[in-house]
Amino acid sequence: MPEFRVATRGDSKLLAEMERKYIECPWSEEVILGTVSDESSAIYILQSGDTAIGYGGVKTVLDTAEIYNIAVEEEHRRKGYGAAILDKLIEHAVSRGAAEIFLEVNENNAPAIVLYTSRGFEISRIRKNYYKSGNALVLKKRV
């Protein structure tokens, strides 16, 4: 059964590799190191044994949270792991006092949009040409 753990500085290489594989605008290892060291942020890794299945990050400042990138390894997709990661990030944000949560998603990423809207996120605005491959939808959820 997969379990969550909080990422540490020692996970920066793993996370940077996954970013490069799955995220259109990947974070560098240095940015990841800064994020795992930031008390207002958390990156959760979902793993089975020693194998990372996926990860996601969130930053909470006062009553607002922003969900960072979420990624799931190809061979583990369509098994509910992305939803589990999203739910963990929402839970974390709420536990830190968030009243609203924001995230950005490429308008062409239909599976992610379906997931986010199924969890109560709504389109707040559009950022034109945010990604190389399209606009970003800024989604918001009140909690």
Side-chain angles (χ1 to χ4, degrees), residues 25-41:
C25 302
W27 286 8
S28 68
E29 191 173 336
E30 293 76 25
V31 170
I32 293 166
L33 283 168
T35 302
V36 297
S37 301
D38 178 359
E39 290 183 13
S40 65
S41 296

Side-chain angles (χ1 to χ4, degrees), residues 66-67 102-106 116 127 130-131 136-139:
E66 179 183 358
I67 291 180
F102 291 89
L103 60 81
E104 293 157 348
V105 61
N106 189 311
Y116 299 143
R127 288 194 173 139
Y130 186 78
Y131 298 106
L137 303 179
V138 179
L139 305 182

Side-chain angles (χ1 to χ4, degrees), residues 67 70 83 86-87 90 101 103 105-107 109-124 137-142:
I67 291 180
I70 295 175
L86 178 60
D87 291 344
I90 292 169
I101 304 171
L103 60 81
V105 61
N106 189 311
E107 67 184 351
N109 190 343
I113 294 167
V114 168
L115 170 61
Y116 299 143
T117 56
S118 78
R119 295 303 195 266
F121 284 87
E122 298 176 343
I123 297 173
S124 172
L137 303 179
V138 179
L139 305 182
K140 177 172 84 170
K141 173 184 174 76
R142 293 198 183 279

Side-chain angles (χ1 to χ4, degrees), residues 14-27 52-53 55 71-75 77:
L14 165 73
L15 294 169
E17 284 176 25
M18 289 181 75
E19 285 273 320
R20 284 190 297 275
K21 284 197 305 192
Y22 302 118
I23 305 298
E24 186 172 351
C25 302
W27 286 8
I53 293 171
Y55 72 94
V72 175
E73 291 283 6
E74 284 287 343
E75 65 270 21
R77 293 189 180 173

